[in-house]
Amino acid sequence: MIGARTLILGSAASLIALSGAQAADLPVKAKAVEYVRICSLYGAGFFYIPGTDTCIKIGGYLRADVTFNGGAHGTPAWSGDLGQQNRYRDYFVARSRMALTVDTRTATEYGVVRTFGQGDFQFNNIGGGSANPTLPFSSNSLSTAGGGYVAVEYLFIQFAGFTFGKSASAYSTPWQGFPGNINSNLLGGQNTDTGVNNIQYTAEFGNGVSASIGLDDPTVWERTAVYNLSIPSAIGANGTGSNAYAGVHAPDIVGRIRVDQAWGLFQLSAAAHEVNGSYNTLGAGAAPNALSEISGHPESKWGGAVMAALQIKNIPTGAGDDIKLDVSYAKGATKYVISTSGSSPNFAMFGDSGFGYQSVGFGATTDGVYFPGAAGTGGIALTTAWGVRGAFNHNWNPYWSTSLFGSYAAVRYDGGADDNLLGAGTTTAKGAYCNAFAASHAGQTGVASAAGTYSCNPDFNVSQLGVVTRWTPVKNLTFSGEVQWFHLDQKMSGSSVFTATAPKPNALYEFKDQDTVLLQFRAQRNF
């Protein structure tokens, strides 16, 4: 009995030992490693950088555009070969771009610390055989066959209400120059959609009320041109002159007050802008166009701009529909009204004529002009500009939407009605401009000539009207088609013989308002 019990207990002990050994040989499940941890603090798409408390989001878009009778950014045919409608112009131009954005945010005791950057990898077809080439951003940009270029948009740091770097101006509206359009050239207000180097501070007061103040570098987005009208032939054949702006001496001082509510947005903005000329001419006996430190320079002047903006949401026409509108006024800060990326446009458009070789319309965009010497005051006469632009945006259904947009802008030079007559006086901007214009146009010594009769007035208006329809078959993929009409209402009248920019010949041209229409298509995928 004792032997049987000993045998049973021994067998059980052996089985327990054997099972323990087998269990020790089984693999143990490892602790899960969290390679990507979602960050839900700042919206969709953010995740934690491994090993840190910083959230990051990588995004961007890929866009393909083609424009007929316009520039790559939807620029109307208002100057250059397109404005002349000559044989060098491209009937269409294409652009492909991929934008990459990196957004990082970290919660701290001072609030969120944010960095943001966007780079554009882009290729443009701009026409290599142009007689008057215009590159998309600067003369150093390369867009040749098989090539392209990289452009930098936003690059900034935000900390405790401050923003440092390249960002939208504190003056700007949230929609910038795009209340409903896809083209980059809707005039009538300010635009810094690719960023301006600045320092700014924003204070939030609660209930959607905020205020911002900043210092902007005016070099790219906020300066047009200053003309020295005492230089012989200061105004060229196309009604524009060489830029006599001095270097940047002071930043633009900008600010805004904004109210954001469920019904929409209301904003008031203001800016102060310095206008300064380089040098006066040396005067009689000196070489033409001679500029020297001993000839002195005009006194700098401060100009500025103001803007009121309004957005109305949830209008009765449909869910998500809205109206966006902004109104601007500027004195010596014309870029806040005639605003495009890079330099503001000077308008030179040619078309059919009732008599003479062709018709022509001019528009010179400046912040101011000066005319030193005995016949002039020597000071800078600031240019006045005002404008309005806006859009009605309607959603037909979740897949289709349409925007109707438009703008109107005016540029005015100081002077009375008598200054429309050449030689009536040169103490005003208008009179000085017209004398310089006369000196640049063959056969014109006054208002009458055997070659033609004209009345000089550099003032002009520009207006735009367009419609864009978008189709979004799937989320974040949109196809757009936009048509835009542009009108130049120039104030010159009569006709004049002059040599326009080649290949236009020396001929009799009639001064006349001009029109053009462009068509743009876009495919864009956001990610």
Side-chain angles (χ1 to χ4, degrees), residues 234-248:
I235 301 300
N238 284 349
T240 60
S242 56
N243 193 355
Y245 240 123
V248 175

Side-chain angles (χ1 to χ4, degrees), residues 105-131:
R105 307 188 193 189
T106 306
T108 74
E109 59 184 307
Y110 297 97
V112 176
V113 177
R114 183 190 184 196
T115 66
F116 185 88
Q118 177 175 330
D120 296 341
F121 301 84
Q122 183 163 299
F123 174 76
N124 277 18
N125 248 342
I126 61 170
S130 175

